[in-house]
């Protein structure tokens, strides 16, 4: 079992930055895909970014490319999502998720790939 805990959400004006963190605990000894998703009430959850831990593989949804960066600190069992140039449409609850890679180190933002989910952290961007 793996437990995930997000933190770092908050409120910011458009153009600002936030960094959200995802700390893993429990059985973290194996390699895994870790991804960030976001959801607005009444809408489907959307994949934002994914990475292979430990490793350098990363994938982003087109709407955040060039603005968001997913990174990891293996020693702290933590995956970060640095969000720059935030827009009102980035407002959502952000969730991190972890799961086994389907093949080698290739990780994507398909929800079905992920077994463990955090409780989420709210990010609000005002115009």
């Amino acid at each position: 079992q793996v437990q995930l805990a997000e933190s770092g959400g908050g409120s910011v004006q458009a153009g600002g930055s936030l960094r959200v963190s995802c700390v893993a605990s429990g059985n973290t000894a194996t390699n895994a895909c870790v991804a960030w998703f976001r959801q607005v009430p009444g809408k489907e959850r959307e994949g934002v970014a994914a990475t292979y831990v430990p490793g350098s593989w990363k994938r982003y949804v087109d709407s955040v490319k060039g603005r968001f960066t997913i990174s990891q600190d293996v020693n702290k069992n933590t995956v970060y999502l640095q969000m720059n140039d935030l827009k009102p449409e980035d407002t959502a609850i952000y969730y991190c998720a972890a799961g086994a890679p389907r093949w080698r180190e290739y990780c994507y933002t398909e929800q079905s790939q992920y077994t463990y989910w955090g409780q989420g952290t709210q990010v609000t961007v005002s115009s």
Side-chain angles (χ1 to χ4, degrees):
Q1 289 286 333
V2 175
Q3 293 79 44
L4 302 173
E6 303 96 336
S7 63
S11 297
V12 66
Q13 289 191 327
S17 299
L18 280 175
R19 187 179 77 166
V20 289
S21 303
C22 174
V23 179
S25 59
N27 183 12
T28 59
T30 57
N31 299 347
C33 290
V34 177
W36 285 95
F37 293 82
R38 63 187 180 186
Q39 188 170 24
V40 176
K43 294 188 177 181
E44 290 189 0
R45 190 152 44 189
E46 172 193 32
V48 176
T51 189
Y52 180 74
V53 181
S56 59
W57 170 271
K58 300 177 183 180
R59 271 298 182 268
Y60 300 93
V61 67
D62 286 346
S63 61
V64 307
K65 283 181 181 177
R67 300 190 299 122
F68 290 13
T69 302
I70 189 169
S71 63
Q72 57 189 262
D73 185 332
V74 213
N75 293 327
K76 296 182 178 179
N77 288 333
T78 302
V79 171
Y80 303 98
L81 185 68
Q82 176 68 43
M83 303 180 288
N84 298 329
D85 190 23
L86 282 160
K87 304 176 180 181
E89 51 264 41
D90 295 318
T91 295
I93 299 173
Y94 282 71
Y95 299 90
C96 68
R102 289 174 175 165
W103 187 55
R104 298 180 63 179
E105 71 274 26
Y106 303 132
C107 303
Y108 299 95
T109 54
E110 296 176 18
Q111 294 188 52
S112 60
Q113 184 174 3
Y114 297 90
T115 305
Y116 305 102
W117 293 81
Q119 294 299 308
T121 184
Q122 176 71 47
V123 171
T124 303
V125 184
S126 58
S127 57

